[in-house]
Amino acid sequence: MAQHWADYQYEIYLNGMAGVVPRLPTDLTRLEELTERRLGAGPVGYVAGSAGNGSTARANRAALERRRIVPRMLRDVRERDLSVEVLGRPLAAPLALAPVGVLSIMHPDAEPAAARAAAAQGVPYILSSVSSTPMERIAEVMGEAERWFQLYWPKDPDVARSFLNRARAAGFTVLVVTLDTPLLAWRPRDLDQAYLPFLNGVGMANYFTDPAFKAGLAKPVEEDLAAAVRHFIGLQGDPGKTWPDLAFLRENWDGPIVLKGVLHPDDARLAAEAGMDGVVVSNHGGRQVAGSVAAADALPRVAEAVGDRLTVLFDSGVRTGDDIFKALALGARAVLVGRPYVYGLGLDGQSGVEHVIRCLLAELDLTLALSGHATPGTVGPADLVEATPGCCTAPPTRPG
């Protein structure tokens, strides 16, 4: 019998009989406010902040809120199975932890805590290139659990090739290439604090342990940190890359390749023509282009364009289990969640991340069942309607 994620609620109620209540809220939209109160302005701003005045982050939430679920009755949902196959990988549920860098600014256990939480709950963990922990260490803590590697594609092909070789050797199965960050966006919350952790060498673990990167240094990292940081800045991001450059990735990675940051159906078609395996419909959680189209508004067009050829994934704005349901209905095969698990990490380490995963999947399980679905595979556009403009949109609070 498949796991019923909804049983988490009964676990919570039974613990309550002994006077034990959850350490963190089960309404995950409250986590950002708690994190704001407990952590420093720089780290919180780096995670919660967005491009410009936050309009894209607000649009992400509004686009999901605008879609409303239409439940169906008298369908047999006693036995439910959230498992899916994504990129040839069997997953326990249509969820993965999105790549988020420099997690040491949120909690001293950093990426290993998030990776262990993902492994414990059976969801993939996507490690960021700019992590505080080397990829080999993440492989150690995850054992045989599913892990994917996110690449910020550097200018130096030797460093890129070295990263891919290391990731493959460490058991990362899927390559997620972020396309929407060839330049760092205008982010006022970071700018107002003059906060960029990379300038202090934070988030550089994969680079500072990489032989190709170190070959470009005159002195070892520990002898001249400033020079190592400058070297990183010089090779990080490449606004000159174009579609033909994807051939390099295909030549140097023999597993699935997913392009993250695709919002236009024509770009999705180009990805398919380039031999890619999937796309993540994403606007980087509103962190790159102020005024961008909401990711949930872009998703149906991308899914329609390439859903029969590529695996379509989604992120940007996901906060709840019903958000995941809506993304599936709009054409996503699975969903990546970012900020909520990072807030959970900041507030309660590995346990906080596991709480976020279990809350999301319990709510998804219940939303599916109460809407008449026993599996994610039966969810589609007919399960949603669009609310009247001005109704049910996200309030104009600080973007999250």
Side-chain angles (χ1 to χ4, degrees), residues 11-164:
E11 179 182 321
I12 290 173
Y13 287 134
L14 288 172
N15 286 338
M17 296 177 66
V20 178
V21 299
R23 289 165 58 90
L24 297 180
T26 54
D27 174 1
L28 301 181
T29 65
R30 294 178 53 204
L31 294 181
E32 181 180 345
E33 179 186 357
L34 282 177
T35 307
E36 293 265 11
R37 294 207 302 256
R38 296 188 192 175
L39 274 71
V44 171
Y46 181 81
V47 174
S50 303
N53 68 356
S55 65
T56 302
R58 291 193 295 273
N60 285 336
R61 290 300 308 144
L64 288 165
E65 291 281 355
R66 191 174 73 249
R67 271 85 180 187
R68 312 305 297 175
I69 298 167
V70 184
R72 299 296 302 276
M73 300 296 112
L74 293 176
R75 293 180 170 181
D76 185 354
V77 293
R78 285 174 299 177
E79 294 302 326
R80 301 177 304 281
D81 184 357
L82 267 60
S83 66
V84 294
E85 184 176 294
V86 176
L87 299 162
R89 324 298 301 176
L91 305 184
L95 179 70
L97 297 192
V100 180
V102 289
L103 291 184
S104 61
I105 66 174
M106 298 298 285
H107 193 279
D109 290 345
E111 291 85 8
R116 285 193 297 264
Q121 297 303 318
V123 302
Y125 177 65
I126 310 176
L127 179 69
S128 171
S129 285
V130 289
S131 64
S132 309
T133 310
M135 62 184 86
E136 291 82 4
R137 173 61 181 152
I138 298 303
E140 289 176 14
V141 305
M142 293 194 74
E144 298 302 314
E146 188 72 21
R147 50 188 177 272
W148 304 353
F149 182 72
Q150 177 267 343
L151 179 71
Y152 280 123
W153 198 348
K155 293 176 184 175
D156 186 338
D158 290 336
V159 174
R161 191 177 293 108
S162 181
F163 269 36
L164 299 184

Side-chain angles (χ1 to χ4, degrees), residues 264-269 272 299-310 312:
H264 196 290
D266 286 348
D267 284 348
R269 293 185 184 98
L299 176 57
R301 295 177 66 208
V302 171
E304 182 180 2
V306 299
D308 59 339
R309 291 186 284 169
L310 298 181
V312 177

Side-chain angles (χ1 to χ4, degrees), residues 319-397:
R319 297 293 179 273
T320 65
D322 60 277
D323 289 339
I324 299 174
F325 180 104
K326 293 173 184 179
L328 298 175
L330 292 172
R333 182 69 176 163
V335 169
L336 316 185
V337 65
R339 287 183 176 103
Y341 91 77
V342 179
Y343 298 143
L345 174 70
L347 293 166
D348 200 20
Q350 178 181 340
S351 296
V353 180
E354 291 198 48
H355 174 78
V356 168
I357 295 169
R358 298 186 74 188
C359 285
L360 284 169
L361 293 180
E363 189 174 17
L364 173 61
D365 190 2
L366 289 165
T367 302
L368 282 166
L370 294 171
S371 301
H373 297 275
T375 71
T378 60
V379 177
D383 294 298
L384 301 181
V385 296
E386 291 206 29
T388 304
C391 168
C392 311
T393 54
T397 55

Side-chain angles (χ1 to χ4, degrees), residues 223-247:
E223 293 182 15
D224 195 343
L225 176 62
V229 169
R230 287 194 299 271
H231 184 49
F232 163 78
I233 293 171
L235 63 82
Q236 183 68 359
D238 185 357
K241 282 192 168 60
T242 59
W243 291 97
D245 292 315
L246 291 172

